[in-house]
């Protein structure tokens, strides 16, 4: 069971640090000034240690011996030395969950992302924008570091998936991953709502993705679909994806005007 709330009982803390539970209780008493209030609760309530409490204990463990110099350890804690040791940082990183419960002290200085519960990551169109942006960033990195070959598949996968989501945001399709089928449905929507057809370059992008990756699995798993050798200019692809994204945004705006 993942400890999303990062509150640790005596036994779990002892296991993490490979000491016995009595040692943890002793440290909680001796170094109480450096611990959270839950580390030494009122009688009848269980001890609960935060991730920073564990960090304090990890520092104490480094200097704990048969006759420990308590004052020396406290001097180190007073200077926040527990935040300066790489081995302690690695321990904290290893026990911190990939995703965790919302921190109580979160503010504008935090650089994380909130999702789940009442926090939606975005609708299907904004999700498409996110995958398109990821593709852009990968192309930029590939160009600067000369890693086009290494980053081609993840970049194109992001672009292809963005294209699929853009179409689905307009057509309402949910299951189908076949871009040729999705393009046909998109053209029906454009014809019915705007009496318009997409330009040739627009269709060519979608058909090219379909030809090289019809089911959204080729670039994802490294499967070669085309029988002939093909060449891709990642910079040109990025430019075309900018055009495609802008076109879908225009379609979205026009639909909002029509439905307003």
């Amino acid at each position: 069971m993942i400890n999303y709330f990062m509150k640790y009982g005596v036994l779990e803390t002892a296991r993490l640090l490979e000491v016995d539970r009595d040692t943890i209780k002793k440290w909680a008493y001796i170094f109480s000034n450096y611990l959270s209030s839950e580390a030494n609760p009122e009688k009848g309530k269980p001890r609960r240690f935060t991730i920073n409490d564990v960090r304090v204990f990890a520092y104490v463990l480094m200097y704990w011996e048969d006759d420990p110099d308590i004052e020396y350890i406290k001097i180190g804690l007073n200077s926040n030395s527990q935040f300066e040791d790489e081995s302690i940082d690695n321990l904290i990183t290893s026990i911190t969950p990939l995703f965790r419960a919302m921190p109580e002290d979160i503010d504008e200085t935090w650089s994380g992302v909130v999702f789940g519960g009442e926090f939606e990551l975005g609708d299907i169109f904004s999700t498409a924008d996110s995958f398109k942006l990821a593709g852009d960033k990968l192309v930029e990195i590939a160009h600067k570091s000369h890693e086009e070959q290494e980053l081609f598949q993840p970049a194109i996968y992001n672009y292809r998936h963005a294209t699929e989501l853009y179409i689905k945001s307009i057509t309402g399709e949910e299951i189908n991953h076949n871009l040729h089928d999705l393009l046909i449905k998109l053209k029906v929507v454009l014809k019915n709502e705007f009496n318009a057809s997409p330009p040739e370059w627009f269709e060519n992008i979608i058909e090219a993705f379909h030809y090289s990756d019809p089911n959204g699995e080729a670039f994802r798993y490294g499967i070669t679909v085309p029988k002939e050798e093909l060449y891709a200019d990642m910079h040109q692809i990025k430019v075309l994806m900018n055009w495609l994204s802008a076109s879908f945004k225009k379609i979205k705006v026009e639909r909002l005007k029509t439905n307003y």
Side-chain angles (χ1 to χ4, degrees), residues 132 166 240-251:
K132 189 264 181 186
Y166 279 134
L240 288 172
M241 285 302 300
N242 285 337
W243 292 5
L244 189 75
S245 175
S247 294
F248 275 110
K249 286 180 171 63
K250 184 177 180 180
I251 295 170

Side-chain angles (χ1 to χ4, degrees), residues 100 102-103 106 110-121:
R100 66 196 82 161
M102 279 285 291
I106 193 168
W110 287 63
S111 58
V113 174
V114 178
F115 71 100
E118 297 179 358
F119 292 90
E120 295 293 336
L121 287 176

Side-chain angles (χ1 to χ4, degrees), residues 193 252-260:
E193 295 189 17
K252 180 182 178 182
V253 169
E254 291 302 318
R255 294 189 89 194
L256 289 173
K257 289 180 181 178
T258 302
N259 297 326
Y260 182 70

Side-chain angles (χ1 to χ4, degrees), residues 24-215:
I24 295 296
K25 290 180 178 180
K26 180 185 293 186
W27 289 348
Y29 174 75
I30 295 174
F31 302 100
S32 59
N33 289 340
Y34 306 95
L35 304 172
S36 64
S37 58
E38 292 181 275
N40 289 284
E42 59 186 55
K43 190 173 181 180
K45 291 187 177 181
R47 295 180 190 272
R48 287 288 182 269
F49 303 111
T50 66
I51 197 74
N52 281 332
D53 293 339
V54 175
R55 183 182 286 275
V56 168
F57 289 151
Y59 180 81
V60 172
L61 179 60
M62 292 175 58
Y63 298 97
W64 197 255
E65 50 192 25
D66 292 338
D67 185 23
D69 188 337
I70 304 296
E71 292 307 311
Y72 178 81
I73 296 174
K74 288 184 177 180
I75 290 173
L77 293 173
N78 286 333
S79 61
N80 288 323
S81 296
Q82 68 270 32
F83 293 97
E84 300 172 359
D85 185 271
E86 184 178 0
S87 65
I88 295 178
D89 287 342
N90 289 338
L91 169 67
I92 298 303
T93 297
S94 71
I95 66 177
T96 300
L98 191 65
F99 306 121
R100 66 196 82 161
M102 279 285 291
E104 296 178 357
D105 56 346
I106 193 168
D107 57 30
E108 66 277 0
T109 65
W110 287 63
S111 58
V113 174
V114 178
F115 71 100
E118 297 179 358
F119 292 90
E120 295 293 336
L121 287 176
D123 59 22
I124 190 170
F125 197 97
S126 62
T127 301
D129 279 341
S130 294
F131 276 96
K132 189 264 181 186
L133 176 61
D136 289 346
K137 296 298 182 183
L138 287 171
V139 170
E140 291 169 9
I141 294 170
H143 177 70
K144 290 180 181 178
S145 60
H146 304 289
E147 294 177 306
E148 285 86 355
Q149 187 68 43
E150 292 81 0
L151 295 177
F152 172 72
Q153 285 194 143
I156 300 305
Y157 171 76
N158 277 290
Y159 280 151
R160 188 213 179 276
H161 192 57
T163 301
E164 179 181 326
L165 294 180
Y166 279 134
I167 298 175
K168 287 180 174 179
S169 72
I170 303 300
T171 63
E173 177 68 46
E174 295 181 357
I175 299 176
N176 196 350
H177 299 291
N178 186 296
L179 288 179
H180 179 73
D181 292 347
L182 291 172
L183 176 59
I184 292 174
K185 292 183 178 181
L186 176 64
K187 292 170 72 173
V188 170
V189 171
L190 296 180
K191 185 66 174 178
N192 291 340
E193 295 189 17
F194 305 109
N195 193 29
S197 298
E200 184 176 353
W201 65 264
F202 183 102
E203 290 193 43
N204 285 346
I205 295 173
I206 299 172
E207 291 291 3
F209 281 138
H210 173 73
Y211 180 72
S212 57
D213 189 355
N215 298 310

Side-chain angles (χ1 to χ4, degrees), residues 1-25 27 46-51 53-55 57-58 61 91 94-97:
M1 183 70 178
I2 299 175
N3 189 342
Y4 291 110
F5 292 92
M6 295 190 296
K7 292 295 179 72
Y8 306 91
V10 173
L11 284 177
E12 187 174 8
T13 305
R15 178 183 61 80
L16 292 172
L17 297 174
E18 299 181 352
V19 298
D20 59 72
R21 59 184 297 177
D22 290 335
T23 298
I24 295 296
K25 290 180 178 180
W27 289 348
R47 295 180 190 272
R48 287 288 182 269
F49 303 111
T50 66
I51 197 74
D53 293 339
V54 175
R55 183 182 286 275
F57 289 151
L61 179 60
L91 169 67
S94 71
I95 66 177
T96 300

